[in-house]
Amino acid sequence: MNKKTGGLAGLIVGDTAISTVGKEGLDLTYRGYSIHDLASESTFEEVAYLLIYGALPNKTQLIDYKKKLISLRELPAELKSILEKLPANTNPMDVLRTGCSALGCFEPESQQFHQQDIADKLIACVPGILLYWYHFHQNGKSISTTCNEDTIAGYFLYLLRGSKPNEEQRRAVDVSLILYAEHEFNASTFAARVTTSTESDFYSAIVSGIGTLRGPLHGGANEAAMELVSQFKTPDEAEKGIRALLEKKAKIMGFGHRVYKISDPRSDIIKKWSKALSANAKDGYLYAVSERIEKIMWDEKHLFPNLDFYSATTYHFCGIPTQLFTPLFVMSRLSGWSAHIIEQREDNRLIRPEANYIGPEPRAYIPLIDRG
Ligand code: ACO
């Protein structure tokens, strides 16, 4: 791998008015608003509206937007039938990839379904797609995907458990959705923009994003971080285990970042939620385990936790199964992907870079009969 061009590191490949990441090495803003203000003052619905429609909603706009999202929660019967036919052991990210793609067959982008309506529909019904499939295969139940919980976080937790969520957990998930919503030209957003640049449809761009987010170097890291943290019962055990992994040159999931050089500004916000929730969790010791891993990673490698690291225990302490962590990332990032698809279309040019060829020089063709 050519260190200079590998992974497009450090290359500016386009303009955006949606977010800034890592200016001065550490900040994050969505349409000019600091992530700290958004996470403490806003709800995910306000942030999704900000990203997709370009401005924070006023009170009436927010009420109408929430009503719209609630009204879009029903899934087409044919989509439920597809979800029922998927294997019980399907990776939940594949369920979302398939579910969004299938929805694009039933409600394709058209005069009737405009881009912002599709964005809203996907944000509204992706929790239902995931949890309809989950309950059908885990518990043999066909759940109703409609309910009056008026936030996406509350809706997700309600569908997961079938009862009204506890407010602390609901807000923790709400804040995590705000933090995961948008991150400039990250791999999945870039994939969505590349697909958009060919003048493909909205759903295809979203499906590209989901497929790209799935990997452990990107969205899949929150699940991988949970698997790592849950191996240890005490901080001392964790220290020994992490040192052994570093010795073997293993990657520690949930650490490091391509753009941030000092810290991930989202990490301290979600870390506070992990700490607060650990107080009432049966395995709350995992917070102390995580803190020790953070210390060792800093002491040994000068690497800091990214958003995925403490999101893992935050979700775990809310009683969310690990296999649903990366799908939660999708539920949130749908808003950022949608904003970027809309922005790409406003001033589109086909995204088509060039490669540095390192293969053989031109040579004579060998007919099949002469090949050994
Ligand atoms: N654990 C151990 N070492 C690491 C880690 C890590 N998590 N991250 C980076 N390093 C080391 C690399 O081994 C490399 O060392 P070397 O120069 O001696 O070979 C050096 O730091 C640079 O790392 P790269 O992988 O080249 O950095 P890159 O910018 O390509 O990757 C990435 C960034 C993918 C996030 C990387 O840090 C990583 O794999 N982290 C773990 C996965 C993860 O947490 N992903 C989530 C990203 S954030 C998000 O999606 C919300």
Side-chain angles (χ1 to χ4, degrees):
M1 166 79 63
N2 179 340
K3 267 274 176 198
K4 240 173 145 189
T5 53
L8 301 180
L11 288 184
I12 291 177
V13 295
D15 295 339
T16 185
I18 301 171
S19 64
T20 59
V21 170
K23 265 196 178 172
E24 325 290 326
L26 54 99
D27 90 314
L28 171 61
T29 63
Y30 298 171
R31 297 210 186 269
Y33 298 107
S34 147
I35 193 64
H36 293 280
D37 293 339
L38 292 169
S40 63
E41 307 296 327
S42 270
T43 59
F44 172 66
E45 287 69 26
E46 285 168 83
V47 168
Y49 189 99
L50 168 70
L51 293 170
I52 296 168
Y53 293 91
L56 282 170
N58 63 28
K59 255 188 182 169
T60 316
Q61 287 167 328
L62 182 60
I63 290 168
D64 290 346
Y65 189 53
K66 284 175 147 188
K67 276 193 196 146
K68 181 180 183 190
L69 293 179
I70 292 173
S71 75
L72 293 171
R73 287 177 180 168
E74 185 64 277
L75 306 179
E78 301 87 340
L79 174 53
K80 289 185 192 168
S81 157
I82 290 172
L83 296 171
E84 289 170 12
K85 289 188 182 78
L86 296 177
N89 63 356
T90 306
N91 182 308
M93 286 296 282
D94 299 345
V95 173
L96 290 190
R97 198 190 60 219
T98 306
C100 291
S101 188
L103 191 65
C105 302
F106 300 120
E107 299 180 6
E109 189 168 14
S110 60
Q111 293 291 1
Q112 195 189 348
F113 298 110
H114 286 278
Q115 54 181 10
Q116 278 151 328
D117 292 328
I118 297 171
D120 294 341
K121 173 73 182 178
L122 287 168
I123 288 171
C125 77
V126 155
I129 291 177
L130 178 72
L131 292 166
Y132 184 88
W133 167 84
Y134 180 79
H135 286 296
F136 186 85
H137 293 283
Q138 297 285 319
N139 311 316
K141 280 195 303 192
S142 304
I143 60 161
S144 162
T145 59
T146 57
C147 95
N148 285 334
E149 278 297 326
D150 77 340
T151 63
I152 300 287
Y155 175 53
F156 170 81
L157 289 170
Y158 178 88
L159 288 192
L160 180 63
R161 304 210 189 103
S163 59
K164 196 158 182 58
N166 138 332
E167 180 49 27
E168 186 187 32
Q169 294 182 2
R170 191 207 60 77
R171 179 61 181 155
V173 173
D174 190 38
V175 170
S176 88
L177 296 178
I178 292 171
L179 300 178
Y180 270 133
E182 161 57 14
H183 220 218
E184 197 223 46
F185 278 29
N186 59 88
S188 58
T189 301
F190 190 59
R193 286 191 79 128
V194 170
T195 302
T196 305
S197 81
T198 69
E199 298 188 0
S200 187
D201 71 302
F202 204 94
Y203 292 94
S204 297
I206 293 289
V207 169
S208 301
I210 296 173
T212 309
L213 188 71
R214 187 186 188 287
L217 295 191
H218 192 5
N222 55 13
E223 295 181 15
M226 191 66 229
E227 273 148 31
L228 175 80
V229 171
S230 56
Q231 287 171 28
F232 308 115
K233 292 270 178 286
T234 65
D236 286 350
E237 228 182 74
E239 177 160 349
K240 216 170 132 203
I242 296 300
R243 285 191 191 285
L245 285 169
L246 289 178
E247 200 120 306
K248 284 190 251 164
K249 304 247 175 278
K251 272 214 166 160
I252 308 300
M253 292 305 172
F255 284 85
H257 200 271
R258 172 58 69 78
V259 182
Y260 297 124
K261 299 298 172 221
I262 302 165
S263 69
D264 179 336
R266 304 164 297 177
S267 177
D268 282 351
I269 301 173
I270 203 67
K271 182 179 174 181
K272 282 193 187 131
W273 281 99
S274 173
K275 184 176 186 186
L277 291 160
S278 72
N280 295 317
K282 68 174 181 341
D283 47 7
Y285 63 84
L286 290 174
Y287 177 77
V289 162
S290 305
E291 270 203 313
R292 182 69 68 87
I293 296 175
E294 180 182 356
K295 182 175 179 329
I296 303 301
M297 288 302 286
W298 185 255
D299 291 349
E300 295 299 315
K301 302 277 296 182
H302 251 64
L303 285 170
F304 49 83
N306 57 51
L307 172 59
D308 283 326
F309 188 64
Y310 283 103
S311 297
T313 40
T314 299
Y315 289 157
H316 178 77
F317 295 146
C318 290
I320 299 168
T322 305
Q323 57 167 338
L324 305 186
F325 290 6
T326 315
L328 267 159
F329 194 157
V330 172
M331 282 173 215
S332 162
R333 189 56 63 85
L334 279 168
S335 57
W337 290 332
S338 299
H340 279 273
I341 295 167
I342 293 164
E343 182 177 70
Q344 179 68 33
R345 285 175 167 184
E346 278 164 6
D347 185 21
N348 187 49
R349 184 147 191 240
L350 178 73
I351 298 174
R352 201 291 190 200
E354 287 178 45
N356 174 40
Y357 181 68
I358 54 167
E361 291 300 316
R363 50 186 168 162
Y365 178 76
I366 308 167
L368 183 57
I369 199 161
D370 297 335
R371 285 175 227 157

